Amino acid sequence: MKHLIIGAALAAALAVPATAQEVTLARFFGACEDAGTDTKTSVGEACIIQSIINAASEQIDGVTVNTLPTDWGNYYDQLKAAYAGGTAPDVHVMHRSSVAEFAGLGALADLTDDLAAAGIDTTDWAPAALDAVSFDGGIYGVPMDFHANLWHVNMDLMAKAGLVQDGKPILPTSPEEMLAQAKMVKDATGQDYLAADFAQFPIGVRLVLALMWQQGANIFSEDGTATINTDAARNAVTAITQLFDAGVANPQLNYADSQQAFLNGEAAMLVNGTWVVDFYTAEAAKEEVGLNNYQVADFPTLFDEGATWADSHMWAIPASLKANDPEKFQAALKVLAFINDHNVDWARTGHMSVRKSVVASEEYANLPHRADYTGTASIARDTPPSERYGAIQDVLNRELQAIWLTGKSVDTALGDAEAEVQDLLDR
Amino acid sequence: MNKQTKPLRHVLGQSQAAALLLLPFMSVYLLFLVYPFFRGVWISLHDWNLLAVAFNPDAKEFVGVSNYIKVMWGKNIIWSPLASPVLQLMGLGGAITSALLHRSGRLGRTTALAIGIGAIVFFILPGFHPGEGGRWYDRRFWPTVGNTLVFVGLTVPGVTLSALVLAVSLNRETRAMSVLRTLFFLSQVLSVTVVTLIWQIMFSPRQGLIANVTELFGGSPIVWLTDERFAMAAIVITTIWWSLGIAMILFLAGLQDISRDLYEAGALDHATGVRAFWYITLPNLKRTITLVIVLQIILHFQVFGQSHLMTNGGPNDTTQVLVRYIYQTGFRDSDLGRASAMAVFLFVIMGAFSVLQFVLGREED
Amino acid sequence: MLKGRYYWLVFALSIPAFIWLVPTIWMVSLSFQPNDLLARTTSSTALGLVPLPFTAANYAALFQYGQTPLWFLNSVIVSLGMTLGVLLVSTTAGYALARLDFPYKAPLTVLILVGLMVPEQAVFIPLYTMFADFGWHNSYHALMLPRMAVPIGVFLMMSFFKAIPSDIEEAARLEGVGWLQIFWYVMLPLARPAMMTLAILTFLYAWNDYLWPLVSAQQREFFTITLGLASIQSNFAQSEGLGRVMASGVIASLPVVLLFLIFQRYVVQAMTVGGSKG
């Protein structure tokens, strides 16, 4: 046993050839240890990205990529700790929403003049993607996707409730209609209308945000004033709590539980991101899974205008690497170029591509369920940039959970959230 | 004592030997505990952004005690005697009781004083609250402190009592008992991430074993980790399951130290079973009990992993604990100054406990 | 009659002992079940406590691709190093404080005992910035050193040495044996039970420590198993591979549990010996 362990550790240490530039890469998306190098067959976010990274490590001459595994919960904390400790990874993934904080402090390398030489064509990026990686006139990363909240639909339950027309689910156009349809599903099938992670990750927050944006409102303005204790927010929250009150949705499920409920056929809808489309497609194909007839839909418009929460994943390089180690910086750029070239493979997760050429390609159009949510790109929204994005999202998640999990009154919770977010914006 | 021939074969004098023996510890102690402590206090007096200062050491700014005010104080904070009646009455009651016990000669002076001061603090602190139009600058801080106290207040007695009962029952040198001891100790060697991994899924309302058992008996499963009423209980149960072993072993070692003669003598006075436990075991185990409680308080006040991994401090912050808040403030919000101010507060609380404990322990001897 | 009561006691204690063991059994059992089954139900056979349908695929994958063995090795290195370090500094300092006379002994003892009040978690931020300035993060010594400064070991050893009757020492002094020799040849062997207790406490602490490695180690090479497991148990991964995560948990725990099972007899013995002498 012991020998086996030491042997395995030695093998892991010796696997890296000494001559190559070793690029360390940090990412979230979860672990996939047996991803292989085939970027066309891997399934799920973790395995698809890891297969692209493995392929990069194998195919780029003179470059090996060492993936630093990091979990979701601590990713940004650890990334910051690494930056502050002078041991930042050579390449790392991040969200558009965090660019302001990292680039604002001078942590990220300005890649504006390096991308073309590395074979990355910025003119092929969608304007919104270029916008996502830009800060103060410079380009600080390579965008990889747009991801947004979708409604994942169990068509069998919808059909039983009579909510299918022309093979498409009938979605609500107002909160009242949503409640009515939810009751139809409950009456016809006995199952919940809608499931989502209301208890763990900020997916409930993103739902409320979308419903606020649909009313032309936002949680804070560009000039840094919190606007949460408003009628728009109350409307958004009540649109959701009415489902809990009517017993057609369960607020107490976390991410894994809500997903399992949907896959078991215990909920007609699951609000979750683009990142699970291929995984659910694969699951629905299995005989033993309760979900059989799976479809995807754009986030429905319950108020005045269409809107759904969206963000972007992007890859960045530390400023210190560009300044101190030009050779490794070039190696890191090659990795970014490789990932950029494999944008269509990443899109297999269900994410939306950032490259115009990919979006126009047949391969992209033929991805499963892609046609179901073509409208999402045009309704994608996010909060104004803030250095305290993470903390603000945390405040909202806490106060919203207080509303649906602990019965805190909507007015008090929104008032508290507004005061606390204002504190964060003023800091 | 016979003080005659004394060959001087040893080279080192007593002081020199002591200096040499103390050197290794003192160097790590001063470098990695004493110095960081004062440095922490220094950081807490600055506006200190983790990343900004790392890139540019001059980016910090001296702000005096402003971090402490922002964390612990608020706008228009007033004090009234019955803002949170239960805690305050408990404190008041404690102060009066200790005074009375001292009067009647049941408590020594220092012990009475220590308990009295502790009780008065309990009376005073919860009395602060925001007046009209006022609010705490950091509305999460005090509830977080409260949660940590609740966690310690549930876990320490839980662990101590169950470990004591188990140790007394298992204190026999037979094969069966030794196997049972091992079983109870086993969970202690698991790492916090394994423990939270197991219990996170144990408590899951859909995948969890507890839910499956509940459903077997026709009940509807409790949503442990996301229900305000049960989340803290879930974390406490996990912690007791995890950390019972060491306490039990320490009690067993303490039990071995009690001479059998005492029990034999006690048996003559018909002190067996529960009576023997009450009149012989407990008094002789006092020192071990004190040690176990001190160790547990120190350990559990620093709880982090259970809250961080199982509940993310939720729901609605009910399981947010102090160390997690320090970690978040420092590494998510990059605000090392504020985080350090909270760390200093953590030190003050634990220091107060240690002093109280020390005073109590001394008087008992 | 007494015999009968004893068996009843053993029986009565077996029930809580079994309940105590159930979570662990469950983890082991889940690790032997197929992942796609677990995504739907965790209670297929006997509430999931019996691994049927059975598969060893989770373990095969773990050894084929996993980083768990490396993390495990790191934990062993860090925990052993920390334990040895703590034993070294605690026995020496504990002996000096308990048995030797030297100037400023009382204030020094107080200074050290005051350190008991400083929780490690209260100094992890300054330690982090300090180690960052030194460029020490992502190294074994960065993971080991902070714990060695905690005076609880000194406190334990000091109490133990104080309890040893002074005639042994005096006899040696009359023979003209030096203080260091007394420490090494007389006191240390006597202190074995206490050192054992301290070693176990320290090893377990080191094995379980989460916050400091989380802050100090960001590179895979220096992840401890505790940290590594946290990084793969995030729920996004969990719902897609519960069996594999559980297998990692088992692999992470099994060697320590085995080590302990072998070690524990010695521990209990050592405590018994120490007890009968006291």
Side-chain angles (χ1 to χ4, degrees):
Chain A
M1 178 82 199
K2 208 168 182 181
H3 287 286
L4 196 61
I5 289 159
I6 293 170
L10 278 178
L14 291 175
V16 179
T19 47
Q21 276 284 358
E22 196 197 66
V23 172
T24 55
L25 177 148
R27 64 165 180 86
F28 35 74
F29 302 123
C32 180
E33 286 151 345
D34 45 357
T37 56
D38 186 347
T39 59
K40 299 289 176 199
T41 56
S42 38
V43 176
E45 261 192 323
C47 290
I48 291 179
I49 191 64
Q50 194 58 48
S51 68
I52 296 176
I53 294 168
N54 291 348
S57 189
E58 189 187 68
Q59 291 167 26
I60 306 175
D61 271 346
V63 176
T64 58
V65 184
N66 179 6
T67 309
L68 310 171
T70 323
D71 53 325
W72 289 89
N74 298 315
Y75 181 76
Y76 282 107
D77 308 342
Q78 284 231 315
L79 189 61
K80 265 184 207 173
Y83 263 107
T87 55
D90 303 326
V91 171
H92 64 83
V93 75
M94 62 194 296
H95 292 93
R96 178 210 73 107
S97 43
S98 296
V99 172
E101 179 178 11
F102 281 81
L105 288 164
L108 305 181
D110 184 344
L111 305 177
T112 317
D113 304 323
D114 305 302
L115 292 171
I120 299 171
D121 178 12
T122 55
T123 59
D124 191 32
W125 292 346
L130 182 62
D131 192 47
V133 294
S134 299
F135 179 82
D136 239 4
I139 300 176
Y140 286 90
V142 172
M144 183 162 69
D145 62 43
F146 298 113
H147 51 272
N149 259 356
L150 302 172
W151 281 31
H152 303 266
V153 190
N154 182 331
M155 292 301 284
D156 291 337
L157 292 182
M158 292 296 275
K160 265 192 209 159
L163 289 168
V164 174
Q165 193 173 33
D166 306 332
K168 294 278 164 204
I170 298 175
L171 297 176
T173 56
S174 70
E176 297 74 31
E177 203 180 334
M178 176 163 73
L179 184 61
Q181 295 188 357
K183 285 180 176 157
M184 287 163 72
V185 170
K186 192 77 179 181
D187 292 342
T189 67
Q191 305 293 1
D192 278 352
Y193 175 66
L194 180 141
D197 169 15
F198 289 105
Q200 187 183 14
F201 298 107
I203 285 175
V205 175
R206 296 163 183 173
L207 232 163
V208 170
L209 282 175
L211 296 178
M212 283 179 74
W213 294 325
Q214 293 193 352
Q215 303 168 71
N218 213 332
I219 48 166
F220 60 93
S221 57
E222 297 272 357
D223 64 1
T225 313
T227 49
I228 299 169
N229 198 3
T230 57
D231 284 336
R234 258 181 293 281
N235 292 339
V237 170
T238 10
I240 295 167
T241 49
Q242 61 168 359
L243 298 180
F244 302 145
D245 296 341
V248 293
N250 179 1
Q252 293 186 310
L253 302 180
N254 65 14
Y255 188 87
D257 292 335
S258 62
Q259 179 165 283
Q260 211 195 355
F262 180 68
L263 291 178
N264 281 359
E266 295 164 18
M269 302 283 183
L270 177 72
V271 182
N272 200 353
T274 46
W275 51 84
V276 282
V277 172
D278 74 321
F279 176 62
Y280 294 171
T281 309
E283 286 296 299
K286 292 178 188 164
E287 197 157 313
E288 64 275 17
V289 171
L291 170 72
N292 291 318
N293 203 344
Y294 167 65
Q295 269 201 26
V296 189
D298 292 325
F299 197 104
T301 307
L302 300 183
F303 294 96
D304 316 326
E305 50 185 294
T308 187
W309 165 87
D311 202 340
S312 260
H313 293 125
M314 51 167 288
W315 293 88
I317 299 176
S320 55
L321 189 73
K322 184 177 177 179
N324 303 330
D325 192 344
E327 270 180 46
K328 192 173 266 192
F329 175 64
Q330 289 305 326
L333 277 173
K334 282 183 196 162
V335 176
L336 294 198
F338 190 92
I339 294 172
N340 193 49
D341 290 343
H342 285 76
N343 201 260
V344 70
D345 297 323
W346 179 244
R348 293 196 300 107
T349 53
H351 286 308
M352 292 172 286
S353 173
V354 290
R355 298 188 55 178
K356 296 176 203 160
S357 58
V358 170
V359 175
S361 71
E362 202 176 322
E363 186 182 0
Y364 184 75
N366 288 337
L367 288 172
H369 300 294
R370 185 60 63 172
D372 295 354
Y373 55 102
T374 43
T376 294
S378 59
I379 58 168
R381 291 279 302 270
D382 200 4
T383 51
S386 163
E387 286 183 20
R388 305 217 174 262
Y389 184 89
I392 291 171
Q393 187 168 267
D394 188 53
V395 170
L396 292 174
N397 200 19
R398 210 151 12 84
E399 293 297 344
L400 290 177
Q401 283 183 13
I403 294 173
W404 35 70
L405 295 178
T406 70
K408 188 170 178 176
S409 93
V410 177
D411 287 332
T412 323
L414 292 179
D416 286 354
E418 179 167 295
E420 217 172 313
V421 169
Q422 190 62 57
D423 283 353
L424 288 167
L425 293 169
D426 292 345
R427 248 190 226 171
Chain B
M1 198 191 292
N2 196 348
K3 283 190 184 179
Q4 25 170 321
T5 49
K6 204 176 195 182
L8 292 168
R9 266 195 288 151
H10 55 278
V11 216
L12 289 175
Q14 200 167 173
S15 310
Q16 289 156 310
L20 194 68
L21 289 171
L22 279 167
L23 185 71
F25 178 72
M26 285 315 285
S27 41
V28 284
Y29 182 61
L30 292 176
L31 204 60
F32 300 124
L33 198 87
V34 177
Y35 171 67
F37 173 71
F38 287 106
R39 191 180 154 112
V41 175
W42 186 67
I43 293 177
S44 75
L45 302 175
H46 289 77
D47 181 8
W48 185 308
N49 182 294
L50 171 69
L51 282 178
V53 177
F55 293 136
N56 169 20
D58 299 326
K60 51 185 175 267
E61 187 193 343
F62 184 82
V63 293
V65 293
S66 134
N67 282 324
Y68 291 88
I69 292 173
K70 277 192 206 151
V71 167
M72 290 168 213
W73 200 241
K75 195 171 83 183
N76 196 14
I77 299 298
I78 54 171
W79 187 85
S80 47
L82 287 174
S84 37
V86 179
L87 285 178
Q88 284 185 290
L89 284 178
M90 263 168 61
L92 206 58
I96 294 168
T97 316
S98 75
L100 288 178
L101 283 176
H102 175 56
R103 270 286 186 75
S104 63
R106 300 238 198 113
L107 271 184
R109 188 196 237 169
T110 28
T111 309
L113 211 62
I115 295 181
I117 291 172
I120 286 170
V121 167
F122 238 64
F123 173 62
I124 292 176
L125 275 189
F128 288 105
H129 62 96
E132 219 165 293
R135 61 185 188 85
W136 296 107
Y137 291 134
D138 183 340
R139 69 188 75 227
R140 294 176 73 192
F141 180 72
W142 289 109
T144 299
V145 173
N147 293 340
T148 316
L149 283 171
V150 168
F151 177 80
V152 172
L154 292 174
T155 308
V156 172
V159 168
T160 309
L161 285 179
S162 36
L164 185 60
V165 169
L166 279 178
V168 170
S169 327
L170 294 169
N171 186 26
R172 283 180 179 78
E173 282 314 311
T174 63
R175 182 168 289 257
M177 288 300 179
S178 125
V179 168
L180 287 172
R181 278 199 295 265
T182 310
L183 290 186
F184 280 109
F185 192 87
L186 214 56
S187 48
Q188 177 84 62
V189 299
L190 303 179
S191 75
V192 63
T193 40
V194 173
V195 171
T196 51
L197 172 66
I198 297 178
W199 283 93
Q200 233 181 89
I201 297 164
M202 285 285 290
F203 283 129
S204 161
R206 305 192 56 87
Q207 302 169 294
L209 184 62
I210 297 177
N212 291 343
V213 171
T214 319
E215 272 174 354
L216 202 66
F217 290 103
S220 63
I222 293 174
V223 193
W224 288 89
L225 296 176
T226 48
D227 190 317
E228 194 178 34
R229 291 162 301 169
F230 298 109
M232 182 60 88
I235 286 183
V236 169
I237 291 171
T238 306
T239 309
I240 293 178
W241 181 79
W242 179 31
S243 61
L244 181 94
I246 286 241
M248 187 185 74
I249 288 282
L250 288 173
F251 279 133
L252 281 166
L255 287 171
Q256 306 272 340
D257 279 343
I258 302 175
S259 161
R260 287 191 188 281
D261 301 350
L262 282 177
Y263 289 102
E264 278 161 23
L268 294 179
D269 291 336
H270 303 289
T272 52
V274 177
R275 283 170 64 92
F277 174 76
W278 197 254
Y279 290 108
I280 302 171
T281 314
L282 266 192
N284 284 292
L285 217 52
K286 236 180 197 172
R287 279 184 60 174
T288 317
I289 295 175
T290 310
L291 176 75
V292 168
I293 291 179
V294 172
L295 285 176
Q296 297 283 329
I297 289 182
I298 291 175
L299 190 74
H300 295 312
F301 225 95
Q302 303 173 16
V303 57
F304 172 69
Q306 296 94 306
S307 152
H308 192 58
L309 292 166
M310 288 176 71
T311 59
N312 298 305
N316 190 24
D317 256 11
T318 42
T319 56
Q320 174 78 328
V321 289
L322 196 49
V323 175
R324 183 167 189 270
Y325 198 28
I326 296 174
Y327 171 79
Q328 277 195 326
T329 309
F331 289 92
R332 191 198 61 200
D333 305 344
S334 304
D335 200 339
L336 288 194
R338 264 173 101 112
S340 296
M342 292 180 209
V344 169
F345 174 84
L346 176 70
F347 161 76
V348 169
I349 291 239
M350 306 234 354
F353 270 111
S354 308
V355 168
L356 185 71
Q357 194 58 56
F358 183 70
V359 169
L360 291 179
R362 274 219 356 184
E363 198 134 300
E364 276 163 13
D365 289 351
Chain C
M1 157 88 173
L2 269 177
K3 199 90 177 167
R5 269 179 57 183
Y6 168 75
Y7 285 121
W8 272 112
L9 186 66
V10 171
F11 177 71
L13 285 167
S14 303
I15 297 167
F18 176 72
I19 294 174
W20 216 250
L21 210 56
V22 158
T24 320
I25 296 174
W26 202 50
M27 168 173 73
V28 176
S29 167
L30 290 183
S31 75
F32 282 110
Q33 294 175 43
N35 267 323
D36 45 342
L37 171 82
L38 292 177
R40 290 188 308 280
T41 174
T42 52
S43 59
S44 44
T45 310
L47 290 166
L49 287 170
V50 176
L52 283 175
F54 181 91
T55 176
N58 295 324
Y59 288 90
L62 211 63
F63 276 100
Q64 200 174 348
Y65 314 103
Q67 290 141 0
T68 310
L70 176 69
W71 294 336
F72 175 79
L73 191 73
N74 281 344
S75 272
V76 170
I77 292 172
V78 169
S79 304
L80 278 183
M82 196 190 284
T83 305
L84 289 178
V86 167
L87 281 183
L88 173 80
V89 300
S90 304
T91 48
T92 49
Y95 171 69
L97 292 175
R99 311 298 296 207
L100 298 183
D101 252 334
F102 51 90
Y104 305 112
K105 179 174 166 174
L108 196 69
T109 313
V110 172
L111 173 74
I112 291 175
L113 290 188
V114 162
L116 277 177
M117 295 195 290
V118 181
E120 219 191 346
Q121 327 302 62
V123 293
F124 81 98
I125 286 173
L127 270 175
Y128 169 81
T129 62
M130 226 173 108
F131 279 34
D133 291 346
F134 295 164
W136 276 6
H137 288 301
N138 294 300
S139 71
Y140 289 133
H141 57 268
L143 291 173
M144 289 176 206
L145 279 172
R147 177 62 179 181
M148 284 163 61
V150 178
I152 187 87
V154 177
F155 177 71
L156 284 177
M157 292 316 296
M158 192 177 83
S159 325
F160 180 84
F161 282 126
K162 269 192 176 159
I164 293 178
S166 57
D167 43 353
I168 304 173
E169 203 179 10
E170 274 163 18
R173 286 297 297 160
L174 290 179
E175 296 285 320
V177 182
W179 295 107
L180 296 183
Q181 284 88 337
I182 292 181
F183 168 69
W184 187 256
Y185 292 109
V186 182
M187 287 299 176
L188 273 194
L190 283 177
R192 231 177 254 159
M195 285 166 71
M196 214 47 146
T197 310
L198 179 58
I200 293 170
L201 284 170
T202 311
F203 191 90
L204 287 176
Y205 177 89
W207 193 267
N208 291 335
D209 196 12
Y210 173 52
L211 181 59
W212 179 246
L214 176 67
V215 181
S216 181
Q218 297 97 28
Q219 287 174 13
R220 169 175 73 174
E221 286 83 348
F222 296 100
F223 268 31
T224 59
I225 188 73
T226 306
L227 198 53
L229 265 182
S231 81
I232 56 173
Q233 70 167 269
S234 64
N235 286 53
F236 281 75
Q238 211 177 78
S239 47
E240 296 174 20
L242 188 55
R244 182 87 80 79
V245 181
M246 287 302 186
S248 302
V250 172
I251 290 295
S253 315
L254 189 69
V256 201
V257 169
L258 287 180
L259 212 69
F260 170 74
L261 289 182
I262 301 160
F263 204 43
Q264 193 216 18
R265 277 188 196 159
Y266 183 63
V267 176
V268 173
Q269 239 175 32
M271 282 174 170
T272 323
V273 172
S276 64
K277 280 207 174 133

